[in-house]
Amino acid sequence: MQLRRADVLRGARELLDAEGLDGVTMRKLGAALNVQAGGLYWHFRSKQALLEAVAEDLLAGVAASPPAGPWDQRLVTLAHRLRQAMLGVRDGARLIAETFVTEPNTTLAGLTGMQILIDAGLPPEQAAWTMFAVAHYVLGHTIEEQAAGPDRAAKLAALAETGPDVRELAAAIAADPGRRFEFGLALVVDGIRVRLGPRTPADS
Amino acid sequence: MQLRRADVLRGARELLDAEGLDGVTMRKLGAALNVQAGGLYWHFRSKQALLEAVAEDLLAGVAASPPAGPWDQRLVTLAHRLRQAMLGVRDGARLIAETFVTEPNTTLAGLTGMQILIDAGLPPEQAAWTMFAVAHYVLGHTIEEQAAGPDRAAKLAALAETGPDVRELAAAIAADPGRRFEFGLALVVDGIRVRLGPRTPADS
DNA sequence: ACCTGAACACCGTTCAAGT
DNA sequence: ACCTGAACACCGTTCAAGT
């Protein structure tokens, strides 16, 4: 039976999850879908276009339903969803980083973040800039968190041996990523709060 | 005459600057150095090892001299240096992201950030976590900022046409990266200040 | 419309053998 | 010690031709 665009997308995502971004190959994907590698080019202009479609797909749930509550909670929810979306596949954050998408899911996620900050009281331009600051923190954190590497653990252990200060650094890398993410996110949110002035808790 | 490790490193960096990360190839590098691709493996265990050496090299200046002044200025200086180091080569931020280095330059940069925050009054564990939050913001920002892509401008222009709210978002992407970086960095620093309590301005 | 077969111009890595 | 030559097992992409 014939392959649909959605099948290729699903296959690519499964291959990504199984092999990582460097393991995604048009030939392997073809094999998984019982098709020659060249045949995939009927469905997608290029490998890059396929990866961008996977990236857009990955962000599907991020802003599908708008987060509710006070502005800080809404923003934290959105940031969580973004991280979770990227954690949804192996190398998801790297995929997002190496891709430039202007499709609905991606755009809506950005707009939603911006709107939350406008509702909180920021002028539109500041809201957009602030939204990107949050997004960049989330992206940077999640990329690092997903970076696998076989010798990572070994290097880290060796590093921890070299001194007490370096030990503290190594411990931070090895710490629970979820809690570390939360910590940094709260920091950024506090920074935003400063810009809103003192009468924020009363707003919705 | 013979090739030294440093020559390979310099060649790799120049090739990276000229062709981008995806254009760095053992064969092209060999050609640039008048050597067969296989010959490079005498100097470096693998392409990955070579890239990690380039990454470590890139961070040479970041913490070479410790930033001076009040803690917030010291931290901002360090963040600037980190961004500038990554901007020093094409795809520098992506290189740092795809690499896990525990060599002196990289480690010292991390330790310096942590020490600045300890001096500011944070307990060591918080200082380490905070340092990573800053680093992740810088990394995320600089990756996005360096993402080239030929159709980027076209996609962005098309996006700006689709509505006034999206226009604001597109404008933020197209804005001066230096100013945008500054804005987000100040946000993070304000967030840190909140955690230090009210008696900070008096400290050095 | 959707895919095959085959080719083109590449990759990273290994390793005997040369100097 | 440092590198060549040649091979191995791969890549993304194109495109005539098939169905």
Side-chain angles (χ1 to χ4, degrees), chain B:
Chain B
M1 68 239 150
Q2 261 169 221
L3 218 52
R4 252 106 37 48
R5 203 190 131 94
D7 300 322
V8 180
L9 226 49
R10 192 180 30 74
R13 192 169 165 157
E14 285 171 9
L15 186 59
L16 177 59
D17 220 11
E19 311 256 20
L21 192 52
D22 297 331
V24 175
T25 272
M26 296 306 266
R27 289 166 199 263
K28 280 195 217 157
L29 181 54
L33 298 169
N34 294 308
V35 151
Q36 297 297 316
L40 296 170
Y41 287 80
W42 195 89
H43 299 278
F44 289 92
R45 183 169 31 58
S46 64
K47 184 183 175 181
Q48 182 64 22
L50 169 55
L51 289 177
E52 289 181 352
V54 175
E56 164 71 0
D57 210 46
L58 207 61
L59 299 187
V62 174
S65 69
W71 73 267
D72 49 358
Q73 193 187 305
R74 288 170 74 196
L75 193 64
V76 165
T77 299
L78 192 72
H80 276 137
R81 288 194 196 158
L82 179 57
R83 170 165 172 266
Q84 288 302 334
M86 295 192 293
L87 290 179
V89 235
R90 173 124 88 109
D91 288 336
R94 252 184 80 198
L95 175 70
I96 298 293
E98 294 181 13
T99 239
F100 186 69
V101 179
T102 56
E103 298 303 296
N105 293 338
T106 306
T107 310
L108 184 61
L111 281 177
T112 302
M114 194 176 100
Q115 192 56 56
I116 290 171
L117 291 159
I118 290 177
D119 291 349
L122 288 181
E125 201 199 22
Q126 271 196 49
W129 288 37
T130 302
M131 190 266 140
F132 276 109
V134 176
H136 290 147
Y137 165 70
V138 177
L139 184 65
H141 191 284
T142 314
I143 286 179
E144 220 251 32
E145 166 177 8
Q146 279 185 319
D151 38 43
R152 226 182 117 94
K155 279 184 185 174
L156 205 56
L159 185 66
E161 297 303 316
T162 63
D165 44 356
V166 189
R167 254 192 97 80
E168 194 69 54
L169 221 64
I173 300 179
D176 174 36
R179 297 218 305 128
R180 214 183 41 202
F181 176 72
E182 213 68 51
F183 177 87
L185 183 59
L187 213 69
V188 176
V189 170
D190 280 347
I192 299 171
R193 211 186 315 274
V194 169
R195 268 158 184 69
L196 290 173
R199 75 278 175 265
T200 335
D203 304 349
S204 71

